[in-house]
Structures are given as C-alpha cells and as structure tokens.
Amino acid sequence: MNLLHFKNDSSNRNVISIFSGAMGLDIGLKKAGLHIAVGQDIDPSCVATMQANGCKVLGGDIRKIDPANLLEQTGMTQGEPFLVCGGPPCQPFSTAGKRLGINDPRGSLFMDFIRMLDYIRPRFFIMENVKGIKSAPLKHTSLAERNMSDPEQQLGTVLDVILSEFDKLGYKTVYGVLDAVNYGVPQFRERFVLLGSREHEDIFLPLPTHFQMHQESAYRWRTLQDAIKDLEYDCGECAAFSKSRLDYLRTVPEGGNWRSLPDKICREAMGGAYKSGGGKVGFYRRLSYSQPSPTLVTSPVQKATMMCHPTQNRPLSIREYARIQQFPDNWIFTGTTAAKYRQIGNAVPVGLALSLGKAILSVADQTAEIHTKRFRGTDIHQKLKQAIEIGGSCYAHK
C-alpha cells in the first residue's frame, strides 16, 4: 500500500473512533479540525446517542467486529485513516481470565484495539484510559506460571505489555497522565493518554493551556460557576437523593462534606463508614461554585460519591453534567436517566480532547515548534519546556 501518499495528503483528516461512548473525545477532535468517519460502541444507549446526533456508527461487540468491515464503513483503505482513537474499558485489567491471572491486558479488550490498529494502519492513534494503568503490576496467578516461593510475583507492569504490543506494530509512542483542568475543563479529571505515530514523527502530549494561577483570567482554571451557574433554577432532567440523605445534605455548607455535619448526627449519617479508613471526601459532598468540579462519576447520588449542587438541595443534573464535560448544549443523550449519567460520566472531557487533536495536527503539519540556533536564558527556557509535567509525566517510547 502507498502509505506515503496518505501522509502527504493534508486534506485527509479522517478518524475512526472505537469504544466511542457518548463521543466526548470525538467532539473535541472534531473541534480541532478532524473528521469522525465512523464511531463504534457495544452499549445500545451510546449507539442511540451517536445516531441521534447524526453520527455514523457501527454498533456491537468489538470482539466480533471484523476490522475490514469497520474500515469499509468509511470508504477508506488500509493505511489511509489519519487517526484511530478510543478507550478500551478498564475493568478487564483487574480480571483478565484464569490462565493469565490478574492485570494482564493480553486478556482484555485492549487487544481488540491492537487488532484494529494492526489491520487499519492509521498514521496516528490516541488511546486513553484510567491513570492506574501506568503503574498497575502485571501478575500471573496460575500454578504453572508463578513462582511458588513468591505467590505475588510481579512480571513487570500492565504498561510494559501495552508498550510492547504497540512496538510490535511499529508505532512510536508517547504517554502520560493528564489532568483535564489544565486544558480549560471545569473539572479535576486525570486520565492516562497514549499517542502513537506510524511514521515515527515527533509526537508529544499537549502542553497545558490553563493554570491555577495566571495574570490573565482567560488562562486560569475554569470553575463550576463558569460552567453551570446559569442552570441553577433551570436544570432539566435530574436524579434525586433519598429523603434521609437529603435531610443530612441540607445542613452541609457549600464546599463541605460529611465532616461539616453536626457531631450529634455525623455518626448516624455515616453509619458503618464512620470508622472506616480513608478521607471519605465524597460522603455528603456539596460542591463549591468557586472551584473546578471533582471528577464526575457515573451516578451523582451514590453514598460515597455524592455530587450535590452548590446551592440547591439536589444532585447535579444531566445538563449540568454535560456542561462540566463540555458537551454542546444541543447534544442529545438517549436512554434512561441512569444511562445518561453513565454516558456523560464515562466521557473524555471535550477540552482535553481538543488539545489532543491540536497536538496531533501540529505534528502532522510540522508547526509545533519554533526552531532556533540557541536559547538565551537557558535555565528559564528549559523549565518552560518541562511545563508539560504540570499536566502529568510524559514519556516517549521509540
């Protein structure tokens, strides 16, 4: 196949999205200037959401999808797509099957991401996941594979296996943990991101665009008030707290949690969790308008992860969830209320996805860097070059 032809075709910015969910990643990539040729997901609610918003989608279990059929949906041939993106579900990394034991991506849906890449051969790829993947130990538990003198024998990390598989495909990779709040998202949300280049181009993780402290307001972190204040009395579809939980929440001030409850009722409200370890910050949590949101969860009414509105005695609504994740106001979510919360809570924030798309495009267009013969003020410039560590560690893998 003539891959060079596609590399030099600046009009080709076609993306194949897998594990697409509600398409937060895809919306951000589209805003950056890419074209989503097709999406894919197994969840019927996600498939219906994509269709309701006019997106082409191939529904079904990716384990049963032939990559040739997925590629056929786009009208492209092998090697032509600009990008493949997606986030294989993280659950399989904790239970990967009897033979391979725990935390082995070779027994997970990650291998279907690899299978798609191997056939489609895009110029770039983006894979995102939970930050724990970066440090999760790789362990085998079968009697044949483990050392009986060390039953918890570690065989490297999950990331070692992931990088090895991409290396076999011939992709140069760079990876790290990025916090969405550093990219204009009104939410603290850390995600593991791995980018790859088939042509071994100088890919990099996007540099932060927003900061906790900055002399210009446009470059400071976005707060919950920035995102949802106008929806305070017009929130739309919303879940509800149980009466008992709501009675306790009424006494919690903005920005407080279970520790703000009066002593005489705190033990009663917490029940068995009162004596458990950990900070338990999500119990009876009322959010603060003046700060970015905590990481959105798939339900705002669970006891350990409550997300109560800053001033109203209710959880965050569907519209408020979508605003925090930066979905367009006209984006349609389908399914039950619980399904909508789950779709939005699992999404990649649009602002983070936008920065990822811009970083990839700057590499493709060779506009990412100003080349100079030497630096003046070397120490200062070196610190600026390391600023990416604000959003998380960055590692290149040849």
Side-chain angles (χ1 to χ4, degrees), residues 65-220:
I65 292 177
D66 185 333
N69 292 340
L70 183 62
L71 191 58
E72 184 180 0
Q73 296 288 320
T74 70
M76 293 183 283
T77 59
Q78 287 176 290
E80 184 175 1
F82 181 76
L83 175 76
V84 166
C85 67
C90 57
Q91 291 89 341
F93 291 119
S94 60
T95 54
K98 294 180 180 179
R99 188 183 69 82
L100 291 175
I102 63 173
N103 284 344
D104 196 328
R106 288 168 294 193
S108 75
L109 292 174
F110 163 75
M111 290 308 297
D112 288 284
F113 189 95
I114 287 288
R115 181 169 62 88
M116 296 296 162
L117 277 187
D118 189 28
Y119 183 86
I120 296 171
R121 301 298 299 166
R123 179 176 173 182
F124 299 103
F125 73 81
I126 298 174
M127 191 194 84
E128 63 85 27
N129 222 290
V130 294
K131 67 175 183 176
I133 279 184
K134 191 165 76 73
S135 56
L138 180 68
K139 299 178 182 178
H140 286 181
T141 57
S142 70
L143 294 177
E145 293 178 320
R146 72 184 182 187
N147 181 348
M148 290 306 296
S149 64
D150 182 10
E152 292 297 318
Q153 179 185 21
Q154 292 191 14
L155 305 173
T157 66
V158 167
L159 184 57
D160 291 333
V161 173
I162 289 174
L163 294 177
S164 173
E165 293 298 329
F166 285 122
D167 189 58
K168 291 175 185 177
L169 297 185
Y171 280 84
K172 175 182 177 180
T173 56
V174 62
Y175 63 89
V177 175
L178 305 181
D179 194 332
V181 75
N182 294 324
Y183 300 90
V185 178
Q187 176 190 187
F188 295 110
R189 191 181 188 91
E190 293 183 311
R191 297 296 289 183
F192 172 84
V193 176
L194 189 149
L195 310 181
S197 165
R198 185 190 65 209
E199 305 297 327
H200 285 229
E201 295 165 88
D202 291 329
I203 49 174
F204 63 97
L205 295 181
L207 288 162
T209 57
H210 291 72
F211 307 86
Q212 183 176 14
M213 179 185 294
H214 201 282
Q215 64 272 18
E216 296 287 344
S217 62
Y219 300 108
R220 291 179 209 139

Side-chain angles (χ1 to χ4, degrees), residues 108-386:
S108 75
L109 292 174
F110 163 75
M111 290 308 297
D112 288 284
F113 189 95
I114 287 288
R115 181 169 62 88
M116 296 296 162
L117 277 187
D118 189 28
Y119 183 86
I120 296 171
R121 301 298 299 166
R123 179 176 173 182
F124 299 103
F125 73 81
I126 298 174
M127 191 194 84
E128 63 85 27
N129 222 290
V130 294
K131 67 175 183 176
I133 279 184
K134 191 165 76 73
S135 56
L138 180 68
K139 299 178 182 178
H140 286 181
T141 57
S142 70
L143 294 177
E145 293 178 320
R146 72 184 182 187
N147 181 348
M148 290 306 296
S149 64
D150 182 10
E152 292 297 318
Q153 179 185 21
Q154 292 191 14
L155 305 173
T157 66
V158 167
L159 184 57
D160 291 333
V161 173
I162 289 174
L163 294 177
S164 173
E165 293 298 329
F166 285 122
D167 189 58
K168 291 175 185 177
L169 297 185
Y171 280 84
K172 175 182 177 180
T173 56
V174 62
Y175 63 89
V177 175
L178 305 181
D179 194 332
V181 75
N182 294 324
Y183 300 90
V185 178
Q187 176 190 187
F188 295 110
R189 191 181 188 91
E190 293 183 311
R191 297 296 289 183
F192 172 84
V193 176
L194 189 149
L195 310 181
S197 165
R198 185 190 65 209
E199 305 297 327
H200 285 229
E201 295 165 88
D202 291 329
I203 49 174
F204 63 97
L205 295 181
L207 288 162
T209 57
H210 291 72
F211 307 86
Q212 183 176 14
M213 179 185 294
H214 201 282
Q215 64 272 18
E216 296 287 344
S217 62
Y219 300 108
R220 291 179 209 139
W221 284 350
R222 296 289 178 256
T223 67
L224 195 59
Q225 178 168 300
D226 296 331
I228 68 168
K229 177 67 174 178
D230 63 312
L231 300 178
E232 191 169 55
Y233 301 104
D234 183 25
C235 69
E237 186 176 358
C238 190
F241 291 118
S242 67
K243 183 182 182 303
S244 60
R245 290 179 183 175
L246 190 56
D247 287 342
Y248 295 127
L249 279 164
R250 291 180 192 278
T251 68
V252 176
E254 182 176 344
N257 62 8
W258 69 279
R259 295 182 181 276
S260 306
L261 293 169
D263 290 341
K264 62 181 180 180
I265 65 170
C266 188
R267 287 177 177 267
E268 176 186 298
M270 292 295 286
Y274 184 80
K275 294 184 178 180
S276 66
K280 304 184 283 285
V281 295
F283 284 80
Y284 299 100
R285 175 175 54 191
R286 185 182 289 275
L287 306 184
S288 170
Y289 264 146
S290 64
Q291 299 181 31
S293 170
T295 301
L296 293 187
V297 291
T298 55
S299 171
V301 297
Q302 298 303 310
K303 187 174 183 179
T305 55
M306 294 184 193
M307 305 200 79
C308 184
H309 190 277
T311 63
Q312 304 299 303
N313 293 318
R314 59 170 176 79
L316 294 178
S317 69
I318 296 293
R319 289 182 67 193
E320 288 165 338
Y321 248 53
R323 281 280 188 88
I324 293 168
Q325 291 279 54
Q326 299 179 315
F327 281 92
D329 280 350
N330 62 353
W331 196 256
I332 301 168
F333 298 97
T334 65
T336 64
T337 298
K340 293 175 184 178
Y341 276 117
R342 184 178 69 251
Q343 289 175 61
I344 302 169
N346 282 331
V348 176
V350 172
L352 176 57
L354 171 62
S355 290
L356 290 169
K358 286 183 174 180
I360 291 285
L361 282 170
S362 70
V363 171
D365 296 336
Q366 299 182 18
T367 58
E369 185 176 3
I370 302 296
H371 294 280
T372 62
K373 292 183 178 180
R374 69 183 183 92
F375 281 130
R376 294 178 64 88
T378 302
D379 290 344
I380 294 174
H381 286 284
Q382 288 301 322
K383 289 178 180 179
L384 288 173
K385 289 182 71 174
Q386 294 169 3

